[in-house]
Amino acid sequence: MSDTRTGHRTPADETAEQAAERLSSAPAEPGEGDGPGAGPAGLGALGWARWTWRQLTSMRVALILLFLLSLAAIPGSLIPQNSQNAFKVQTWKAAHQGIAPLYDKLQLFDVYSSVWFSSIYILLFVSLAGCIVPRTWQFVGVLRAAPPAAPRNLARMPVYAAWHTDADAESVNAAGHRLLRRRGFRAHRSGTGPVAAEKGYLREVGNLLFHFSLFALLAGFAWASLASGQGGKLLVEGQGYSNTTTQLDDFTGSWAYTADDLDAFGFNLDSFSARYQTSGDQVGSARDFTAHIRYWNGTDSSKLTNGTIQVNHPLEIGSSKVFLIGHGFAPVVTVRNAKNEIVYRGPTPFLPQDSNATSTGVIKVSDYGTGPDGTKTMLGFNGYFLPTAPENFEKTGPVSLFPDAADPMLVLTAYQGDLGTDTGNPQNVYQLDTKHMTQLKQDGDIARARLKPGQAWELPDGYGTVTFEGYQQWASFNISHRPGNAVALTGAVCAILGLIGSLFVQRRRIWVRATTGPDGRTLVEVAGLARSESARTAEELAEFAVDLQESAPALDDDDPAGDPAGTPPGGPPAGPTDDPADPAAPADPDSKE
């Protein structure tokens, strides 16, 4: 070989680098230079509309919108959302009454359906569509067109090699054409002339796949928001549920999914089991939560099937999925009035407040009847349930030491008066409204009791007794219908594959020209051009040149010490005037695509 080089830039090489930029089929970004993207395309509303459309459909704006969308999603992960847990939103509002009205005005409790989030989402959707369509058509044109013809002066390409041979010029060009096709290049040869070949189309395919996948990902999320619904249900062991709005604790529908679209099914919660680590550094950490159920599909509840629901392993029935999202304890309490009549009995769910399942709850006895003074009254109890109570309760207070029920205790305080349940206004079942109630006292202090299973508390002032019978476990479920999840997941996976292709595949071109000189010898020139500089381009060209020398062996007296700039002996060969390094030639070899 007379010359192989990868560096030593000259002013002419700068034009070659500009040509390399055109190896992508991406449309030129608007707003660069003095072209039509530099500002409004004309005067008046039409000009501004064109300019706005070009800015919106540019890749730069699409990336900005994608970044803004990721920022806009952050509040949805930090602030409770009505679509996920309406009760948690109400609890958060009660704890932050000062700032909650501002959050309501900013729609921070409904981030993903807010006006500002939807605006960014729609703009990104339009921007991606405007990017993908012209880019796809341009890439199709590149695939249908022949690779660009060889420039006149191949020596000015970033990677170049040349040697003399006694082989016939036409046979050398034919051999180069065969070798390039064997190496996976899309090679083109016009008649008996030079060979132009191109490879690395998977790079642009990866780019397009990434953008199409991102578009599909957004479409999947949009579909899910327009045609999804979900509801919540809390069940105590032994209770059942039928998938109707009357039995759901809460339900959030959408434009294309209402209460009439709920799947017909139901299930009974037979039991719930929880397992925790009992030793080591992670003592108390959850290891397994399992809800053991029997479910039916359709309207016939007599045909039951055994099943289980675990965290991240939902039960799929029809187009719905039943997720296990929480669990806790429900103390079983019996309340008797002064006449020893049972006025309340049953399990009452208490809500965990920490990792050790320290739980709070209220017991409302609306049907207590007549109090000791002969007037109609109601009883209410605020309480803590401690699955594992501390031995030194006076120092630690109502705090559980372990999340499992190793030594359960129920701590209660009592109120009498009007619970407000007869007013018709909705109430939170986990909160006690004490505005019209009086706290019972004993010996001048607040009346309170700490009860172990089986123990009873005699209420002061003759209001009867409260017996802690034991406890049951409860589990909360999310019944979800989200039709766009599969589309979104497929889009995410394809986006990753497309990104890998666009990052690791290099678009490059190789030209082969064999010409017969005045001395009768054949000058063989090979040159390569890639979108970005890489040592692999020079290695690939060198390997190809070695293979080509089997058909066109270099002459022994070939002198490689010619022009240090890389021009082969005898000066640049004659050829077409389409050299990207020639000031009189087009700006790059893509000009014929």
Side-chain angles (χ1 to χ4, degrees), residues 12 52 73 80 106 108 121 156 177 195 205 237 266 347 352 387 419 436 463 487:
T52 302
L106 296 176
L108 293 181
Y121 194 93
R156 291 178 177 176
H177 183 266
V195 182
V205 171
E237 290 174 319
L419 290 170
H436 304 288
Y463 279 95
V487 176

Side-chain angles (χ1 to χ4, degrees), residues 385-408:
F385 178 78
L386 312 178
T388 303
E391 294 182 1
N392 195 349
F393 185 90
E394 288 73 12
K395 291 186 177 180
T396 61
V399 176
S400 176
L401 302 180
F402 191 74
D404 206 359
D407 186 15

